[in-house]
Amino acid sequence: MMNSRLCLLIASISGAITVGLGAFGAHGLKAVLSPYLLDVYETAVQYQMWHTLALFGCGILLRNSFSKGVSYAALLFTIGMLFFSGSLYALVFTGIKWFGPITPLGGLCFIIGWLTLAVSTYRLTEVSK
């Protein structure tokens, strides 16, 4: 189960890694990769960053009000980043095509994570001040 501290920690580390990978792609890979593989790499970086921000948001939500659903959404975003972006990075760096079929599993985790987050935030009770 994901708690606020773990979400924020993973999001922070993922954010740093994503910025580093993005810079590496922009400066170190343009001359090395084909346009297709560079596009695949950029997709991996973009999806990782968007879901890093989503994970950070889950951490903030969990800090204010614990919700199993938000916790599950955070876990799904984390797994999605590993499967989706991780498989694309592996494909780019190794050229091994069988990493490709793993990518949709990560995408499915993202979709289920977003739907879980939607239902969970709808069910959250408002905190009175």
Side-chain angles (χ1 to χ4, degrees), residues 65-125:
S65 174
F66 183 78
S67 161
K68 274 187 181 180
V70 173
S71 180
Y72 285 130
L75 182 61
L76 287 161
F77 291 149
T78 303
I79 294 168
M81 285 190 283
L82 290 171
F83 282 14
F84 186 90
S85 294
S87 66
L88 292 179
Y89 294 136
L91 174 68
V92 167
F93 290 121
T94 68
I96 299 172
K97 302 283 187 209
W98 64 263
F99 282 114
I102 298 170
T103 308
L105 295 174
L108 184 61
C109 287
F110 288 153
I111 292 166
I112 295 170
W114 283 109
L115 294 173
T116 302
L117 184 60
V119 170
S120 300
T121 54
Y122 178 78
R123 291 181 176 170
L124 283 176
T125 57

Side-chain angles (χ1 to χ4, degrees), residues 21 24-25 28-30 32-45 84-100 103:
L21 288 171
F24 177 64
L29 295 178
K30 277 197 176 181
V32 179
L33 295 179
S34 69
Y36 170 74
L37 286 178
L38 192 58
D39 189 48
V40 169
Y41 186 84
E42 289 174 356
T43 298
V45 170
F84 186 90
S85 294
S87 66
L88 292 179
Y89 294 136
L91 174 68
V92 167
F93 290 121
T94 68
I96 299 172
K97 302 283 187 209
W98 64 263
F99 282 114
T103 308

